[in-house]
Amino acid sequence: MALQGWRLCGVTVTIVIYIGGVLFLSMNNVPGSHPRRIRTERFAENPRINQKMTIRWCKELRYMQPELPVEPESAAFEFNNPNISDNDDNTKTGLTALASFPGSGNTWLRYLLQQSTGILTGSIYKDYGLLKTGFPGENICNSSVLLVKTHEWGPKAWAPFSKAILLVRDPEKAIIAEFNRQSGGHVGFASPDRYKRTKGKYWQQFVTNKLRGWELMNLNWARNFTGSIKIVFYDDLINNIEPELRSILDFLRFPIDEGLLRCALVRKEGIFRRKKRVLSFDPYTPLMRANIEERKQYVYSVLGRTVN
């Protein structure tokens, strides 16, 4: 009898603990009792830009038109419309693309053009870091902006544009710049440890993938885009900034304001050019460099560029 009593007592205690546990868990899972954790993905931002810095614009920026055009089939729709055919000329909107592989200086060129024209530039993306620091035209893809930034290629990417500026940078430098941007924002740097992540395999795969993307991006626009295209090399922009800017504005058929152009040249650095940093090691192996040089020689020859 005593043994049965102890058994009954043990079962009773177990049942009480179980019921109590269920009640406790149910109370802690009542909807609204705990805020839902939302995963937010952001590009890394540099503290220098996070501070409330204001760019000294040569002229107050404005849109090409006083009011944004209301279009039932906007460029933003066209970018995502699966029904657009490869040869549908009705999708042309008179827009100019500023196309480039990431890390090629797209943001800096947009800055220079905004300074030298006083007109906002657009983008198919919505980079909140840029939106807050001098590029209110982010995510605007219509004729109210001077041109539209894109890193995409292929028929759907070309469809909204009748003209394009293709900005090309040495792949070795462009890949490093993109690696830095993904880790440290538009003007920051990747820590040296990131190059050695997973015993260097992460960096090696990054270089392989980005080199292929660099080749595809530039060759697809240069060979297949059916509109008027101007190829601008980043090195030429660095070394001959005034004639290059004049040539770009001429391509855009935008009248040159000599006062604005002089101001843009004085303020050419801005806050979106990454400063030079010398690593204590060479991130590229001899094999990586050989592959990069081979693809660079090939792409540059297609683009009509002589490589020394």
Side-chain angles (χ1 to χ4, degrees):
M1 292 292 295
L3 182 60
Q4 289 180 349
W6 278 109
R7 287 178 176 173
L8 181 61
C9 181
V11 171
T12 303
V13 170
T14 301
I15 293 173
V16 170
I17 292 174
Y18 175 78
I19 294 173
V22 171
L23 290 173
F24 176 80
L25 291 174
S26 64
M27 290 178 64
N28 280 274
N29 284 284
V30 174
S33 62
H34 296 282
R36 186 177 181 182
R37 183 173 296 177
I38 300 174
R39 181 181 179 185
T40 304
E41 294 184 357
R42 301 176 185 273
F43 288 123
E45 295 181 2
N46 189 278
R48 178 184 167 209
I49 290 183
N50 277 338
Q51 298 168 358
K52 294 182 178 179
M53 297 186 66
T54 55
I55 298 175
R56 293 177 58 207
W57 293 107
C58 298
K59 180 181 180 180
E60 184 177 356
L61 299 179
R62 63 180 178 84
Y63 290 98
M64 292 277 282
Q65 301 173 15
E67 295 183 2
L68 295 180
V70 179
E71 301 172 0
E73 294 185 359
S74 66
F77 168 77
E78 289 161 2
F79 274 112
N80 299 298
N81 187 355
N83 296 318
I84 291 177
S85 66
D86 295 357
N87 300 312
D88 189 357
D89 291 333
N90 293 327
T91 61
K92 301 297 183 183
T93 60
L95 292 176
T96 300
L98 177 54
S100 70
F101 176 79
S104 297
N106 196 306
T107 301
W108 183 51
L109 181 51
R110 287 176 67 193
Y111 165 80
L112 291 173
L113 290 172
Q114 289 188 168
Q115 286 286 34
S116 56
T117 64
I119 303 297
L120 289 165
T121 61
S123 173
I124 70 168
Y125 313 104
K126 193 168 188 178
D127 185 322
Y128 287 97
L130 295 180
L131 190 65
K132 295 184 293 183
T133 51
F135 293 87
E138 282 292 291
N139 203 222
I140 293 179
C141 311
N142 56 38
S143 57
S144 68
V145 291
L146 186 65
L147 42 67
V148 177
K149 166 187 175 179
T150 180
H151 296 314
E152 313 303 317
W153 69 83
K156 290 182 182 179
W158 309 322
F161 302 108
S162 58
K163 299 173 70 174
I165 295 171
L166 178 62
L167 181 61
V168 183
R169 190 178 187 184
D170 184 312
E172 178 187 326
K173 295 176 181 177
I175 290 170
I176 285 280
E178 176 60 5
F179 192 68
N180 283 325
R181 185 196 67 82
Q182 290 191 14
S183 302
H186 286 281
V187 296
F189 295 95
S191 67
D193 290 341
R194 284 191 65 81
Y195 292 93
K196 302 172 183 177
R197 182 178 171 185
T198 62
K199 297 182 179 180
K201 292 180 180 178
Y202 176 81
W203 166 243
Q204 183 178 8
Q205 191 61 51
F206 185 90
V207 172
T208 299
N209 293 342
K210 295 305 178 182
L211 181 59
R212 180 59 175 160
W214 177 87
E215 180 179 0
L216 287 173
M217 171 75 196
N218 291 308
L219 289 183
N220 270 264
W221 277 93
R223 284 175 164 172
N224 303 322
F225 179 63
T226 58
S228 178
I229 187 167
K230 177 177 179 60
I231 298 174
V232 176
F233 289 92
Y234 181 82
D235 288 344
D236 292 343
L237 193 61
I238 291 288
N239 298 323
N240 303 290
I241 185 169
E242 182 175 353
E244 285 297 311
L245 271 179
R246 287 183 180 276
S247 178
I248 291 169
L249 292 173
D250 182 62
F251 176 77
L252 294 171
R253 296 184 179 178
F254 194 92
I256 296 176
D257 182 315
E258 295 295 339
L260 277 182
L261 183 59
R262 286 195 300 272
C263 179
L265 295 174
V266 169
R267 301 177 183 177
K268 63 182 180 181
E269 290 299 323
I271 63 173
F272 293 103
R273 279 192 66 195
R274 188 177 285 105
K275 304 301 181 182
K276 290 184 178 180
R277 182 185 70 165
V278 179
L279 292 169
S280 60
F281 60 95
D282 187 350
Y284 291 111
T285 66
L287 180 58
M288 287 179 183
R289 287 193 178 280
N291 290 335
I292 288 173
E293 187 61 27
E294 179 185 0
R295 303 326 300 164
K296 174 184 172 181
Q297 292 275 358
Y298 173 64
V299 172
Y300 274 29
S301 67
V302 173
L303 301 181
R305 178 78 160 187
T306 302
V307 181
N308 297 327

